């Protein structure tokens, strides 16, 4: 006759039979531990009792910190190995050898995630072999993928790590209170993990997760490792307290801020070392600002402003009247970083102006401007054109006289001087007011002044056999020096503004505005 073995008691029923249940049992055990600790704390000498109390405080402090790190998903030893936050996966820290890419794989395609298991067609025999081994290769790839995911444990978001760490307690509690439901949940979770592993990039490759790396995760650790040594700070110092790196360095308002310890001396070499760290370990160009005189000591880096694009002059600018006879609009010009109207002021101490440039550079085209401007404002225009066809478009208009031969040009030159002297006389105090009211402003436009002066000298010496020095440069000097008070102005076109063609430095200085067109050689530009 066989006797039945006694049935083992159910642990849950035993806990139910304890007065107060599991909570009462835990409370009683804690009370017993407290009694034992209280007895031990009163044993030995005062020094021993003090050391025992400190050891108890350290023990419970470490236990509390360990529980906090365990629940929050942080590293249990307190040393972070990645930049993971609560909701976001992290980049490995520079000194984390376990999560670094092997040196041989840096920059290569193999450093990225493994490609999915290939199932494409190759040869007939090989295709059969690959088809037969496909399940094994998919399974093996899925297992390798799970291994890589587990190996990157320190880069998981802290919320995921916390959930994994607390899951055994939740499973135990669920098995205790609702074992059937707990078994179904575990089966569903395991099935989801298997399906995800088989279809992962390491398996069939049906899905792929593209990690989002922020600039703070990528560059922050490297910058902190370097500047921490320059600042002579302990490794336990939290980076978030001292260094701020933006998530996106290209965003508006992005800046890097480094708090400086008040005890840090920070000589020129140390400051230069920190500047070099930012320059070498952070992409882009940054402008630094060091603040050591306020309540908080810090250094700030902001992106270097993009250079202002240089303005480009238009190919064509329509001419327009300024409405002022003493302001001549000649086009558009670059002033600093903007394009502005180019206007010549002729009511100044140096009212005359001119344009210099080589043959074919556009001097004659510019000289049309004072002709048009002067006629619109009622001035009389005399053009000295020894080339005979430079300003031919101005011929035939009322108030415009074009002189082409040397004799005509010299005569017009002399007449212009006489007109200026007459205007000066009419402006005298005792002059006839009626005569003064009839004064008209005049402009003398001289195209190719050097050619005119050389032709005039040749005509004087060989044409009329003149004696002594010809007076032409003296006439020009008088006109330039006194023309402003009588509203007789001169506009010249020349190869360069050389003294020889103006009579001297003082006379040439009356050309208040000098314009250069086309390409200029170094000598002409300096003149």
């Amino acid at each position: 006759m066989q006797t039945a073995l006694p049935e083992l008691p159910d642990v849950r029923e035993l806990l139910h039979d304890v007065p107060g249940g599991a909570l009462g049992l835990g409370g009683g055990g804690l009370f017993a531990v407290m009694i034992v600790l209280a007895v031990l704390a009163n044993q030995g000498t005062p020094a021993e009792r003090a050391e025992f109390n400190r050891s108890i405080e350290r023990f419970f402090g470490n236990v509390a910190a360990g529980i906090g790190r365990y629940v929050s998903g942080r590293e249990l030893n307190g040393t972070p190995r990645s930049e993971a936050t609560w909701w976001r996966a992290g980049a490995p820290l520079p000194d984390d050898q376990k999560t670094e890419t092997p040196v041989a794989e840096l920059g290569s395609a193999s450093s990225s995630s493994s490609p999915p298991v290939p199932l494409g067609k190759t040869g007939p025999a090989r295709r059969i072999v690959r088809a037969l081994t496909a399940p094994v290769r998919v399974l093996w790839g899925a297992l390798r993928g799970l291994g890589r995911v587990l190996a990157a444990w320190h880069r998981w978001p802290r919320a995921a790590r916390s959930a994994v760490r607390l899951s055994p307690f939740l499973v135990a509690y669920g098995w205790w209170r609702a074992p059937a439901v707990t078994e179904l949940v575990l089966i569903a979770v395991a099935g989801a993990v298997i399906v995800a592993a088989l279809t992962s990039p390491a398996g069939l490759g049906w899905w792929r997760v593209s990690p989002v790396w922020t600039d703070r995760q990528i560059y922050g650790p490297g910058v902190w490792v370097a500047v921490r040594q320059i600042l002579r700070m302990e490794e336990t110092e939290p980076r978030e307290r001292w260094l701020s790196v933006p998530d996106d360095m290209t965003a508006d308002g992005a800046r890097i801020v480094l708090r400086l310890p008040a005890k840090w001396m920070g000589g020129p070499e140390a400051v230069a070392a920190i500047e070099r760290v930012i320059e070498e370990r952070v992409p882009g160009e940054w402008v630094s600002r060091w603040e050591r005189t306020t309540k908080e000591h810090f250094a700030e880096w902001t992106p270097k402003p993009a250079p202002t694009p240089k303005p480009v002059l238009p190919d064509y600018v329509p001419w327009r009247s300024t409405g002022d006879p003493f302001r001549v609009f000649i086009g558009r010009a670059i002033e600093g970083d903007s394009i502005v109207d180019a206007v010549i002021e002729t009511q100044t101490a140096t009212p005359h102006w001119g344009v210099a440039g080589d043959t074919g550079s556009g001097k004659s085209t510019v000289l049309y401007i004072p002709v048009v401007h002067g006629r619109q404002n009622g001035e009389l225009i005399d053009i000295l054109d020894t080339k005979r066809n430079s300003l031919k478009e101005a011929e035939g208009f009322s108030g415009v006289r074009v002189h082409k031969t040397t004799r005509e040009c010299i005569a017009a030159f002399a007449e212009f001087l006489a007109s200026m002297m007459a205007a000066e006389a009419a402006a005298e105090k005792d002059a006839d007011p009626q005569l003064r009211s009839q004064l008209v402003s005049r402009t003398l436009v001289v195209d190719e002044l050097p050619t005119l002066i050389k032709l005039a000298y040749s005509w004087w010496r060989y044409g009329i056999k003149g004696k002594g020095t010809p007076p032409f440069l003296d006439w020009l000097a008088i006109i330039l020096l006194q023309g402003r008070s009588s509203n007789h102005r001169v506009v010249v076109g020349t190869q360069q503004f050389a003294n020889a063609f103006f009579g001297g430095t003082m006379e040439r200085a009356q050309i208040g505005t000098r314009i250069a067109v086309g390409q200029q050689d170094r000598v002409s530009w300096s003149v």
Side-chain angles (χ1 to χ4, degrees), residues 103-378:
V103 176
E105 298 181 8
L106 288 177
S108 62
S110 59
S111 61
S112 59
S113 58
S114 299
V117 177
L119 299 176
K121 296 181 180 180
T122 53
R126 185 163 183 161
R127 185 170 63 250
I128 295 175
V129 173
R130 294 184 63 82
L132 294 175
T133 59
V136 177
R137 288 185 291 107
V138 170
L139 180 60
W140 175 246
L143 294 177
R144 289 178 57 193
L146 285 176
R148 284 194 294 269
V149 171
L150 295 177
W153 164 260
H154 297 286
R155 294 167 58 182
W156 288 25
R158 293 176 186 170
R161 283 187 274 176
S162 177
V164 172
R165 288 175 175 175
L166 295 177
S167 60
F169 301 98
L170 298 177
V171 171
Y173 181 81
W175 213 302
W176 177 25
R177 290 298 186 181
V181 176
T182 303
E183 291 176 359
L184 294 177
V185 171
L186 291 177
I187 293 173
V189 172
V193 171
I194 294 173
V195 172
L198 292 176
T199 59
S200 68
L204 296 175
W206 291 358
W207 59 270
R208 186 179 300 274
V209 177
S210 299
V212 179
W213 302 107
T214 64
D215 292 338
R216 180 180 61 85
Q217 291 177 320
I218 296 174
Y219 305 109
V223 173
W224 173 241
V225 167
V227 299
R228 178 175 55 78
Q229 301 178 55
I230 302 174
L231 297 176
R232 301 181 180 275
M233 302 178 66
E234 300 293 336
E235 296 183 2
T236 56
E237 285 288 346
R239 178 170 62 86
E240 292 78 6
R241 179 186 175 190
W242 300 96
L243 178 65
S244 172
V245 178
D247 288 335
D248 184 5
M249 293 186 178
T250 61
D252 294 336
R255 63 175 190 153
I256 301 172
V257 180
L258 175 65
R259 186 190 303 273
L260 304 173
K263 62 181 181 180
W264 183 64
M265 297 299 295
E269 295 81 5
V271 171
I274 292 181
E275 294 281 4
R276 189 167 59 253
V277 168
I278 300 299
E279 179 182 354
E280 295 177 352
R281 301 202 176 195
V282 178
E285 297 183 359
W286 299 79
V287 179
S288 62
R289 181 174 71 91
W290 292 75
E291 185 58 68
R292 305 292 300 274
T293 58
T294 56
K295 179 181 178 182
E296 298 287 348
H297 296 184
F298 65 92
E300 178 188 48
W301 289 268
T302 54
K304 184 178 180 180
T308 304
K310 294 184 178 180
V312 179
L313 289 173
D315 296 331
Y316 171 78
V317 177
W319 185 85
R320 65 177 183 272
S321 175
T322 61
D324 186 344
F326 304 117
R327 301 183 76 245
V328 184
F329 173 75
I330 62 170
R332 304 277 284 171
I334 297 176
E335 184 175 304
D337 295 327
S338 59
I339 298 179
V340 298
D341 289 343
V343 178
I344 297 176
E345 303 286 346
T346 62
Q347 188 70 351
T348 63
T350 53
H352 315 291
W353 58 284
V355 54
D358 293 337
T359 302
S361 59
K363 294 191 306 297
S364 300
T365 303
V366 178
L367 292 179
Y368 277 112
I369 295 177
V371 176
V372 177
H373 176 83
R375 288 305 299 141
Q376 284 194 342
N377 289 277

Side-chain angles (χ1 to χ4, degrees), residues 3 13 58-59 93 96 120 145 170 205 225 234 242 249 283 321 324 380 413 431 433 443 461 470 519:
T3 59
E13 294 180 359
R58 287 194 299 269
F59 172 77
L93 293 176
D96 185 10
L170 298 177
V225 167
E234 300 293 336
W242 300 96
M249 293 186 178
S321 175
D324 186 344
L380 297 179
F413 209 1
T443 298
R461 182 174 302 170
Q519 297 295 326

